[in-house]
Amino acid sequence: MSYQPPFDLQSITGIAERRVHDKHPETFEDSFVLARRAAEDCLSRSRYAAADLDVIISTSITRFKDGDDFHFEPSFAHQLARALGARQAIHFDVSNACAGMMTGVAILDRMIKAGNIRNGIVVSGERITAIAETAVKEIGEAYDPQFGSLTVGDSGAAVIVDESTSEADRIHYVELMTCSEYSHLCIGKPSDRNQGIALYTDNHQMHKEERSRLWTRFQSDFLAKRGSSFAAEDYDYIIHHQVGSRFIRNFNNHGEAAFGTPMPESLSVVEKYGNTSTTSHFLVLHDHLRGPRARAGAKYLFVPAASGVVTGCVSATISSLEV
């Protein structure tokens, strides 16, 4: 018997499709497989070989390997380094909810600027639809704490960062802020009804407008210290965390009012991939760069949003469009 929830998920979130990992025993995709394949694909399009990498940072929230085994030690980054053949690379895991890949990029950016390393890869594999499978069995109304679990999709993503030699390809800044007073609002744990792994989010205690205010206030203060403003930055595109189309629209509307200027073109893939957690910004960027509208020299603003609560702003100009 199938269960029909008393609400229309697509009309609320805008999500029409999502991707689910391969469940066939002979070709099973766990978090590690998704991460490894993303890293291999990234390296295949790079001038670097795995042996050239100085650092590997894994940022997966889900760390499933060998099926349903959840791994903490050895680290995913260590296991990926061995699988990829990057045996000389420094390797470590980072966990910062859906801002994980952005956090990894921030760490690499600082390490490269400090002259400690030449390059590195940030990689994540998210086999996260297990929480959706639990939610389908248990959820009863749109305001259920597990509602967000219905929006997720599985994915893998990787990005290589190295020293910029041209303004045409450069990370201008990576700035993140964690508002730890909200850390209790998102809890992953076994289901209360023993139906599987679950994610409970208390959205009632923090309204979406409050989240967007955190971002606009943080970015305004940051740009003011640089002697700049949102309008002066002249972004071509903005990429928000892919929670849902209404979430993205609300963030842009609030941003336009708060900054007093029209928002740049908003890129989104949530409609066809769902919320892919740590990988979402890079999934949007990859999808965009593969399309006909991508142009060299465009300036992007990435806006992280994660439980914890994490906000921030990441700006980059991109001219190398090969993906």
Side-chain angles (χ1 to χ4, degrees):
M1 179 184 298
S2 62
Y3 170 70
Q4 180 66 39
F7 52 83
D8 184 340
L9 183 67
Q10 184 174 347
S11 68
I12 296 172
T13 66
I15 298 170
E17 305 174 43
R18 62 175 176 164
R19 303 298 184 268
V20 178
H21 69 101
D22 190 340
K23 298 183 179 182
H24 295 94
E26 63 276 10
T27 54
F28 192 86
E29 292 178 318
D30 50 35
S31 307
F32 185 81
V33 169
L34 292 169
R36 191 198 71 226
R37 289 178 177 170
E40 290 171 343
D41 184 67
C42 183
L43 285 164
S44 74
R45 304 166 193 275
S46 167
R47 66 175 178 269
Y48 296 110
D52 299 325
L53 295 175
D54 291 334
V55 179
I56 295 178
I57 303 177
S58 172
T59 66
S60 301
I61 297 172
T62 59
R63 299 180 185 179
F64 293 109
K65 188 173 183 288
D66 304 320
D68 290 329
D69 292 342
F70 204 93
H71 284 231
F72 287 101
E73 294 290 345
S75 71
F76 253 34
H78 170 74
Q79 296 179 71
L80 284 166
R82 293 181 64 86
L84 296 171
R87 295 180 179 272
Q88 301 304 313
I90 302 168
H91 45 76
F92 54 90
D93 290 357
V94 169
S95 183
N96 196 18
C98 291
M101 283 195 72
M102 286 298 173
T103 304
V105 168
I107 293 170
L108 281 184
D109 178 69
R110 301 311 196 264
M111 293 178 76
I112 292 170
K113 287 178 178 176
N116 295 323
I117 63 168
R118 299 164 300 170
N119 60 57
I121 189 170
V122 180
V123 57
S124 179
E126 297 292 13
R127 196 201 108 192
I128 201 169
T129 50
I131 62 174
E133 293 164 359
T134 301
V136 165
K137 298 173 184 176
E138 300 184 355
I139 199 166
E141 58 183 359
Y143 292 103
D144 191 287
Q146 291 191 70
F147 177 82
S149 298
L150 296 176
T151 69
V152 300
D154 297 327
S155 65
V159 59
I160 292 174
V161 179
D162 63 5
E163 184 178 6
S164 171
T165 58
S166 168
E167 285 284 351
D169 272 298
R170 178 160 296 177
I171 296 175
H172 304 295
Y173 43 80
V174 186
E175 296 295 329
L176 302 174
M177 177 183 71
T178 299
C179 306
S180 57
E181 64 183 288
Y182 301 106
S183 61
H184 63 286
L185 298 185
C186 190
I187 303 172
K189 62 179 181 178
S191 161
D192 290 338
R193 304 178 195 173
N194 298 315
Q195 298 281 4
I197 188 170
L199 181 72
Y200 299 91
T201 306
D202 190 347
N203 287 318
H204 299 288
Q205 294 190 39
M206 188 175 192
H207 201 265
K208 291 182 178 64
E209 277 70 17
E210 189 173 354
R211 286 180 179 269
S212 59
R213 280 196 296 272
L214 287 174
W215 159 52
T216 53
R217 187 165 62 246
F218 174 81
Q219 184 155 2
S220 291
D221 291 345
F222 170 72
L223 292 176
K225 291 176 184 177
R226 291 170 58 91
S228 184
S229 67
F230 193 94
E233 290 294 296
D234 196 24
Y235 305 111
D236 294 294
Y237 300 104
I238 186 169
I239 303 176
H240 291 280
H241 180 39
Q242 303 290 288
V243 176
S245 57
R246 186 180 299 178
F247 173 93
I248 295 169
R249 187 166 56 250
N250 288 343
F251 258 56
N252 283 327
N253 289 341
H254 182 80
E256 185 165 326
F259 296 125
T261 187
M263 288 293 97
E265 182 179 349
S266 183
L267 302 180
S268 173
V269 296
V270 69
E271 300 83 3
K272 61 180 178 179
Y273 298 132
N275 175 5
T276 60
S277 59
T278 56
T279 69
S280 68
H281 292 87
F282 293 95
L283 193 61
V284 175
L285 181 62
H286 183 271
D287 202 73
H288 172 70
L289 294 180
R290 293 180 66 184
R293 293 172 11 200
R295 59 180 179 82
K299 189 175 184 180
Y300 297 79
L301 171 65
F302 304 86
V303 182
S307 300
V309 168
V310 182
T311 189
C313 52
V314 181
S315 175
T317 296
I318 300 174
S319 291
S320 299
L321 305 182
E322 299 82 3
V323 294

